[in-house]
C-alpha cells in the first residue's frame, strides 16, 4: 500500500491485531471471515499511518537539527549510539544549519518483508546559512527505511544513506566548501582604482616556536611599535600551534623590516592580499578598512560570513560591503570512502562590483599630505563647483573618525557667508555703513569681536572682509527667525543630500530669540556644520546656484527633492565679490599669493566648550576657479593664522597637479 501526502494522524501507535482463522460453513463462518478481512485491512491502514507518523517525526527532528535516539534502530536491530553526533560527522558543514525536510510518500509494501520506506525531500538553503547567491539550495531526495519490531512498533533505521544517498557505502562524508571571490575595487572619479588588491604580509607568533613569549613580544614591539605586554599575554593564552596575529604590513613595508623581523623566535609570516589604497593615509576615514571578520560579525551575518572571511570593517568598505564582496561560491562534495570524490553541487562565486567615487587621486594625495603637517585633529574637503562632486576629503588623524564628512562643529565666521546672502536678499547694500564697534548688546547680552578688534564706521564690505562680529549682530534684527535656516539650505547647509556616504549636512535651527539670532548671525549660535557642509556652501556661491555633494557616483544615489526656494544668482555673485575682498584686504591675505585664478575665501574662528578664554576652532572656506574648499583645524587659534595657510598650501599643490 502506498500513500502520497496523507494527513498526519493523531499521536499513538497501532498494534497489528491477530489474524482470525476462517471457520468453514454457514453464515456465521462467512460473517467471521468478513470481519477478519476488515480487521486485517484496518490493521494495514493503521500500520501505514503509524509509519507516516514516524517519517514525519524524523523529518521534523532533521528540520529542527535535533536527532532523538529513541526514534531509531540500526540495520542489525540495535539502538544507535548517538544519531546527532553521527549526523554531524556525516554532514560536515551542512550540519550547522538544519534543512527543510518534507515527507513525500510512505510505502509499507515495497519490500514485502514487514518493512516500510519513506521518500524524503531535503533542501539546504545555502544562501541564508552559508552566504551563497540568493536562491542557492542543495536539494535532493533520500530514503528512510523503517522496520516493525516484535512489539509491532515502527522504528527508523539509522544509516548513512539517510543523510544522503551518496553516503550509502558507509565510509564517505559530505564536505561543504566556501570560496570568497576577489573583492572588487573602489574607483576614483576617472574610473581608475583607488583601492585594489595589494600584496601584504601578516606577521604573527606561533607559541610553540618560542620558549620566551615576553622576549618575542618585546622584540616585535621594538620593530613594529605594538604593545609588547599585551602581545605576550595573548601568546601565552593561545594554543601551541595557533597563529597569533600581530600586524599586517604592506609588502614594501615588510620588506623594509624583514631583516629585523625574521630572526625573532616564534615569529611567523603569511603572504596574502588585501584591498588597499595607495598609502595608509589616503582618504582612510572615508574609504575605510577591510579585514578578517570577528566572531561577532560572523554571528550577526546570518551565514553570509564564516571564520576566516574578510569584510569591510569601516567607511565605504563597510557601507558597500555586499556590492564589493560579491557572493561566495559553494560546493558540496563527498570525501573519504571508496572511489573518487563526487561533486554533488558546485556554485561558482559571484564577483563583486566596483564602487566608483568622485575622488581625484592626485588631489586626494595632496590633501592628505597637507594635513600630515598638522598636530591637531583637522579636515580638508575639496569640491568641484560645477558638479558638487567631492574631489578630496581628508581627516587627520583617521582613527578619530571622519571629521571632514561627519564632524559637527560650530562654523564661526564662515557662516557669515550664509548671513550675508540673507542680508543682501533683504536689500543690504555692501557699500552701506555698518559700524564695527568693540561690543554690541542685544537684550542684555554683549557680543564682541575676536581679540577686541573694532574698525568704527565702515562699509559693510569691510565688516565682511575683517570679519566683524558686532556688525553682524547689529544687522541680525533685519532677519526673520527662520531666515538663516532657509538661506543655509539654499547653499546646501542643512539641506537634503544624496552623497552616497554617511555625512552631516548641518543643523541650522530656527532662532527662538533676538539673542539667539544675533549669535547665529556670526556662527556662534546653535548651528553645527561639517567641513563638507561649508565646502558645499562655498561651491554654491561659486556656481551661483545650489550644489549638493556627491561622493559615490556608481551606484548613483537617488536625487533629493529641490528646495522650496533658491538663492538669487546676483546675490551670490555679490557674496563672491565680498569673499574676494577677504583675500585682497581682509583676514585671508595669505591666500593672495596662490598661483592661478583669483581666490575667494572666508575665515572663521569658532569658540566652543568651556574655559576662560574659550577654546577656538579655526576655519577657512572658499573657492578658486572650479575648486571649492574648506579647511578645519580643531582648537586652532584663528582661521586666518592656522587654517588659511593650510588652504594656501593645498591650492598651490592643486595648481601644480592640475596643470
Amino acid at each position: 500500500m502506498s500513500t502520497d501526502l496523507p494527513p498526519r494522524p493523531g499521536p499513538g501507535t497501532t498494534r497489528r491485531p491477530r489474524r482470525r482463522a476462517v471457520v468453514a460453513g454457514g453464515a456465521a463462518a462467512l460473517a467471521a471471515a468478513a470481519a477478519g478481512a476488515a480487521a486485517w485491512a484496518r490493521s494495514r491502514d493503521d500500520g501505514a499511518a503509524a509509519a507516516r507518523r514516524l517519517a514525519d517525526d524524523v523529518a521534523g527532528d532533521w528540520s529542527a537539527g535535533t536527532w532523538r535516539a529513541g526514534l531509531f534502530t540500526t540495520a542489525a536491530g540495535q539502538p544507535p549510539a548517538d544519531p546527532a553526533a553521527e549526523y554531524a560527522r556525516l554532514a560536515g558543514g551542512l550540519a550547522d544549519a538544519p534543512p527543510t525536510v518534507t515527507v513525500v510518500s510512505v510505502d509499507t509494501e515495497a519490500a514485502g518483508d514487514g518493512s516500510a520506506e519513506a521518500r524524503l525531500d531535503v533542501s539546504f538553503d545555502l544562501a541564508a546559512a552559508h552566504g551563497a547567491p540568493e536562491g542557492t539550495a542543495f536539494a535532493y531526495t533520500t530514503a528512510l527505511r523503517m522496520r516493525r519490531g516484535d512489539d509491532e512498533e515502527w522504528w527508523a533505521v539509522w544509516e548513512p544513506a539517510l543523510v544522503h544517498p551518496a553516503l550509502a557505502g558507509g565510509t564517505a562524508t559530505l564536505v561543504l566548501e566556501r570560496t570568497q571571490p576577489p573583492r572588487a575595487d573602489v574607483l576614483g572619479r576617472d574610473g581608475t582604482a583607488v583601492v585594489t588588491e595589494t600584496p601584504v604580509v601578516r606577521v604573527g607568533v606561533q607559541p610553540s616556536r618560542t620558549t620566551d613569549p615576553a622576549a618575542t613580544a618585546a622584540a616585535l614591539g621594538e620593530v613594529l611599535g605594538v604593545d609588547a605586554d599585551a602581545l605576550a599575554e595573548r601568546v601565552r593564552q593561545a594554543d601551541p600551534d595557533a597563529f597569533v596575529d600581530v600586524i599586517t604590513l604592506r609588502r614594501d613595508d615588510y620588506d623594509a623590516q624583514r631583516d629585523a623581523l625574521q630572526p625573532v623566535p616564534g615569529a611567523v609570516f603569511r603572504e596574502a592580499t588585501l584591498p588597499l589604497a595607495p598609502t595608509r593615509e589616503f582618504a582612510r576615514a572615508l574609504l575605510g578598512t577591510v579585514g578578517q571578520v570577528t566572531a561577532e560579525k560572523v554571528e550577526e551575518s546570518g551565514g553570509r560570513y564564516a571564520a576566516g572571511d574578510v569584510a569591510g570593517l569601516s567607511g565605504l568598505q563597510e557601507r558597500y560591503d555586499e556590492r564589493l564582496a560579491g557572493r561566495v561560491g559553494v560546493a558540496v562534495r563527498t570525501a573519504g570512502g571508496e572511489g573518487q570524490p563526487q561533486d554533488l553541487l558546485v556554485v561558482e562565486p559571484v564577483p563583486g562590483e566596483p564602487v566608483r567615487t568622485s575622488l581625484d587621486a592626485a588631489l586626494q594625495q595632496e590633501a592628505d599630505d597637507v594635513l600630515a603637517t598638522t598636530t591637531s585633529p583637522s579636515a580638508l574637503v575639496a569640491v568641484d563647483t560645477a558638479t558638487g562632486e567631492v574631489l578630496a576629503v581628508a581627516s587627520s588623524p583617521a582613527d578619530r573618525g571622519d571629521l571632514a564628512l561627519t564632524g559637527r562643529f560650530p562654523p564661526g565666521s564662515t557662516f557669515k557667508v550664509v548671513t550675508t546672502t540673507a542680508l543682501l536678499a533683504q536689500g543690504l547694500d555692501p557699500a552701506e555703513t555698518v559700524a564695527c564697534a568693540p561690543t554690541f548688546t542685544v537684550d542684555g547680552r554683549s557680543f564682541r569681536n575676536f581679540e577686541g578688534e573694532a574698525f568704527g564706521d565702515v562699509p559693510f564690505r569691510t565688516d565682511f572682509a575683517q570679519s566683524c562680529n558686532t556688525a553682524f549682530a547689529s544687522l541680525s534684527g533685519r532677519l526673520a527667525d527662520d531666515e538663516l535656516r532657509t538661506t543655509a539650505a539654499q547653499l546646501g547647509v542643512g539641506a537634503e543630500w544624496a552623497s552616497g556616504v554617511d555625512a552631516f549636512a548641518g543643523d541650522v535651527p530656527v532662532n527662538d530669540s533676538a539673542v539667539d539670532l544675533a549669535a547665529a548671525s556670526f556662527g556662534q549660535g546653535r548651528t553645527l556644520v561639517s567641513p563638507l557642509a561649508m565646502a558645499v556652501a562655498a561651491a554654491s556661491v561659486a556656481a551661483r546656484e545650489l550644489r549638493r555633494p556627491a561622493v559615490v557616483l556608481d551606484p548613483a544615489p537617488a536625487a533629493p527633492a529641490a528646495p522650496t526656494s533658491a538663492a538669487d544668482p546676483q546675490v551670490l555673485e555679490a557674496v563672491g565679490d565680498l569673499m574676494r575682498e577677504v583675500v585682497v584686504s581682509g583676514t585671508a591675505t595669505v591666500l593672495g599669493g596662490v598661483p592661478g585664478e583669483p581666490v575667494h575665501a572666508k575665515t572663521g574662528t569658532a569658540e566652543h566648550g568651556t574655559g576662560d578664554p574659550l577654546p577656538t576652532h579655526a576655519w577657512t572656506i572658499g573657492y578658486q576657479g572650479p575648486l571649492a574648499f574648506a579647511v578645519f583645524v580643531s582648537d586652532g587659534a584663528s582661521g586666518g593664522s592656522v587654517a588659511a595657510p593650510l588652504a594656501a598650501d593645498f591650492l598651490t599643490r592643486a595648481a601644480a597637479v592640475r596643470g
Side-chain angles (χ1 to χ4, degrees):
M1 175 183 300
S2 178
T3 60
D4 288 345
L5 296 174
R8 185 176 179 179
T13 57
T14 302
R15 295 184 179 277
R16 179 185 299 173
R18 296 180 180 275
R19 186 173 184 181
R20 297 181 181 178
V22 177
V23 180
L30 291 174
W40 173 243
R42 284 196 303 273
S43 75
R44 296 302 294 267
D45 287 342
D46 289 346
R52 173 59 193 242
R53 285 196 298 272
L54 177 60
D56 283 344
D57 286 343
V58 171
D61 280 7
W62 195 342
S63 295
T66 60
W67 294 86
R68 289 178 290 159
L71 293 176
F72 294 100
T73 184
T74 64
Q78 301 298 318
D82 188 347
E86 182 64 4
Y87 171 68
R89 183 186 73 83
L90 292 168
L94 291 170
D96 294 340
T100 299
V101 183
T102 305
V103 180
V104 179
S105 64
V106 177
D107 191 341
T108 57
E109 293 186 348
D113 60 355
S115 65
E117 185 174 281
R119 204 157 54 91
L120 307 181
D121 279 351
V122 182
S123 180
F124 291 86
D125 185 349
L126 300 184
H130 300 285
E134 195 68 29
T136 302
F138 177 46
Y140 57 91
T141 298
T142 191
L144 167 66
R145 290 198 301 147
M146 294 175 283
R147 291 179 179 272
R148 225 169 188 178
D150 293 339
D151 58 358
E152 301 294 315
E153 297 283 353
W154 284 105
W155 292 85
V157 177
W158 178 259
E159 55 190 345
L162 169 62
V163 177
H164 192 281
L167 308 182
T171 55
T173 61
L174 299 180
V175 175
L176 173 69
E177 297 177 354
R178 300 171 75 259
T179 304
Q180 271 198 302
R183 196 173 181 87
D185 292 342
V186 178
L187 309 177
R189 190 187 196 195
D190 62 359
T192 59
V194 295
V195 177
T196 192
E197 290 287 338
T198 304
V200 297
V201 176
R202 293 175 59 200
V203 180
V205 175
Q206 185 173 322
S208 62
R209 294 189 178 189
T210 177
T211 58
D212 190 344
T216 294
L220 292 175
E222 183 177 353
V223 177
L224 301 172
V226 298
D227 186 330
D229 292 338
L231 174 58
E233 185 60 24
R234 288 197 294 128
V235 173
R236 292 188 191 99
Q237 294 180 0
D239 292 335
D241 294 327
F243 181 90
V244 180
D245 255 309
V246 177
I247 197 171
T248 299
L249 299 173
R250 294 169 184 266
R251 181 74 207 205
D252 290 345
D253 293 338
Y254 167 76
D255 288 342
Q257 302 176 83
R258 178 175 178 170
D259 291 345
L261 291 171
Q262 287 280 350
V264 176
V268 288
F269 310 93
R270 293 180 178 178
E271 294 186 348
T273 62
L274 275 179
L276 297 176
T279 67
R280 176 179 172 81
E281 294 77 20
F282 188 96
R284 185 181 174 202
L286 167 65
L287 297 174
T289 59
V290 176
Q292 288 198 331
V293 293
T294 61
E296 291 78 12
K297 200 170 185 73
V298 171
E299 185 175 352
E300 294 168 0
S301 72
R304 184 161 173 256
Y305 297 119
D309 286 351
V310 297
L313 303 180
S314 62
L316 287 179
Q317 291 288 355
E318 182 176 34
R319 183 182 178 105
Y320 292 93
D321 183 65
E322 190 165 347
R323 177 184 175 94
L324 291 165
R327 302 296 288 187
V328 300
V330 293
V332 181
R333 299 183 171 94
T334 61
E338 299 177 359
Q340 294 297 316
Q342 299 181 49
D343 286 340
L344 304 177
L345 175 75
V346 177
V347 178
E348 297 296 334
V350 178
E353 297 181 66
V355 171
R356 186 165 71 93
T357 71
S358 58
L359 295 181
D360 180 307
L363 285 180
Q364 179 63 51
Q365 188 64 66
E366 298 301 340
D368 290 327
D369 289 347
V370 167
L371 294 194
T373 66
T374 64
T375 57
S376 297
S378 52
L380 193 160
V381 180
V383 174
D384 187 325
T385 61
T387 64
E389 293 176 3
V390 178
L391 305 177
V393 51
S395 296
S396 178
D399 57 11
R400 287 285 296 271
D402 199 339
L403 302 182
L405 300 187
T406 63
R408 296 169 179 252
F409 310 105
S413 291
T414 61
F415 198 70
K416 289 173 182 173
V417 169
V418 174
T419 307
T420 299
T421 302
L423 289 169
L424 296 183
Q426 291 295 339
L428 174 67
D429 186 336
E432 180 180 333
T433 297
V434 181
C436 180
T439 62
F440 186 83
T441 301
V442 178
D443 288 353
R445 166 77 180 275
S446 182
F447 296 98
R448 62 180 179 83
N449 296 314
F450 180 63
E451 295 184 337
E453 295 175 329
F455 300 97
D457 294 336
V458 294
F460 175 76
R461 63 168 49 90
T462 301
D463 294 317
F464 187 93
Q466 298 298 332
S467 203
C468 181
N469 295 341
T470 58
F472 276 81
S474 71
L475 292 169
S476 63
R478 301 186 185 187
L479 303 175
D481 289 342
D482 64 348
E483 204 148 1
L484 291 180
R485 179 184 179 90
T486 300
T487 304
Q490 293 172 348
L491 300 182
V493 180
E496 184 182 355
W497 291 353
S499 61
V501 297
D502 293 329
F504 179 52
D507 181 16
V508 185
V510 173
N511 299 116
D512 57 12
S513 69
V515 171
D516 187 38
L517 180 55
S521 70
F522 57 93
Q524 288 296 169
R526 294 175 291 138
T527 297
L528 294 174
V529 297
S530 64
L532 174 59
M534 294 315 296
V536 166
S540 296
V541 173
R544 313 293 190 250
E545 62 181 352
L546 171 66
R547 287 289 176 257
R548 289 189 177 98
V551 179
V552 173
L553 306 181
D554 184 18
T564 55
S565 65
D568 185 335
Q570 291 184 332
V571 167
L572 295 180
E573 183 176 2
V575 174
D577 291 341
L578 293 172
M579 293 174 70
R580 177 59 184 162
E581 292 197 30
V582 173
V583 176
V584 173
S585 60
T587 57
T589 54
V590 69
L591 292 166
V594 171
E597 299 180 63
V599 180
H600 303 69
K602 184 68 193 78
T603 61
T605 305
E607 294 178 338
H608 69 99
T610 59
D612 186 16
L614 291 172
T616 56
H617 295 317
W619 286 89
T620 296
I621 68 171
Y623 61 92
Q624 181 188 33
L627 192 65
F629 61 88
V631 176
F632 168 84
V633 179
S634 177
D635 294 324
S638 70
S641 65
V642 175
L646 295 176
D649 187 10
F650 174 70
L651 293 176
T652 301
R653 293 167 178 261
V657 299
R658 291 166 73 89

